Amino acid sequence: LTPIEGHFVCHRNDIPETDADDWTVSLTGALAGTRSVAELRDDYPTVAVAHTMECAGNDRGQHRPETGSVQWGCEAVATAIWTGTPVRSVLRDAGVDPDAEGLWLTTVGGDPSDGDDVFARSIPMAKALDDCVLAYEMNGRPLPAEHGFPVRLIVPGWYGVNSVKWVEGLRVMDRM
């Protein structure tokens, strides 16, 4: 288990100023509505999962010529216990048919960006319903700002770039 202070940090944009009391996750696409952080925490089941997260750019510091972004050695991998709400609970409550085929979940981050360049990632609905978590704790403590406070998507078994920080939207779509 990696202590929070030793867990790697990588993000594309600045860390947003957040207030968990005011933060909501909008449900769009084939969904409608919002969920507050309090609703995610209090109205749905809670799970804790151990997840080893690795940056897709781990070891890119060895590339010649250099690539863009952080020039990681081999330190962009860490294991934490992520506590939160199963994504399947929120999606089923919002009316997603768990047997529907061809659907995708696009998660939109709330980090500030220039213009219309928002940070979002899509995963197949089957993966979202399987084991993904909307985390609000890390290693038994409130999620730190640099790790996505107040809520972060955790996608076990996938590179960290898919574990969107500062989740402000869940969009169900028929394409990636």
Side-chain angles (χ1 to χ4, degrees):
L1 187 64
T2 307
I4 292 173
E5 300 75 23
H7 197 290
F8 74 94
V9 175
C10 186
H11 42 85
R12 182 174 170 179
N13 300 311
D14 292 337
I15 296 172
E17 292 187 27
T18 58
D19 179 352
D21 293 336
D22 294 331
W23 194 269
T24 59
V25 176
S26 63
L27 307 176
T28 61
L31 305 174
T34 61
R35 300 294 184 274
S36 69
V37 175
E39 288 172 318
L40 292 174
R41 181 182 294 274
D42 299 337
D43 297 349
Y44 293 97
T46 300
V47 296
V49 297
H51 170 53
T52 299
M53 185 180 300
E54 181 176 11
C55 178
N58 197 28
D59 199 32
R60 78 165 56 107
Q62 307 302 313
H63 296 187
R64 298 292 177 259
E66 281 188 6
T67 59
S69 193
V70 180
Q71 297 303 304
W72 294 114
C74 295
E75 66 273 16
V77 61
T79 302
I81 304 293
W82 303 92
T83 302
T85 300
V87 170
R88 71 178 154 267
S89 297
V90 176
L91 295 180
R92 287 179 179 165
D93 181 51
V96 170
D97 178 359
D99 297 320
E101 294 186 23
L103 294 179
W104 290 80
L105 177 67
T106 298
T107 304
V108 180
D111 42 330
S113 61
D114 293 329
D116 295 329
D117 183 28
V118 299
F119 188 82
R121 287 293 181 265
S122 295
I123 59 173
M125 185 58 68
K127 177 62 177 170
L129 294 172
D130 181 37
D131 60 358
C132 294
V133 176
L134 291 169
Y136 41 76
E137 290 183 7
M138 180 181 183
N139 291 346
R141 296 179 12 209
L143 195 62
E146 66 272 17
H147 289 289
F149 176 84
V151 63
R152 175 183 191 163
L153 178 69
I154 299 299
V155 185
W158 289 41
Y159 281 119
V161 69
N162 295 290
S163 292
V164 177
K165 297 178 181 180
W166 313 291
V167 173
E168 71 173 15
L170 298 175
R171 184 176 300 150
V172 173
M173 305 178 68
D174 60 2
R175 64 191 189 316
M176 183 182 235

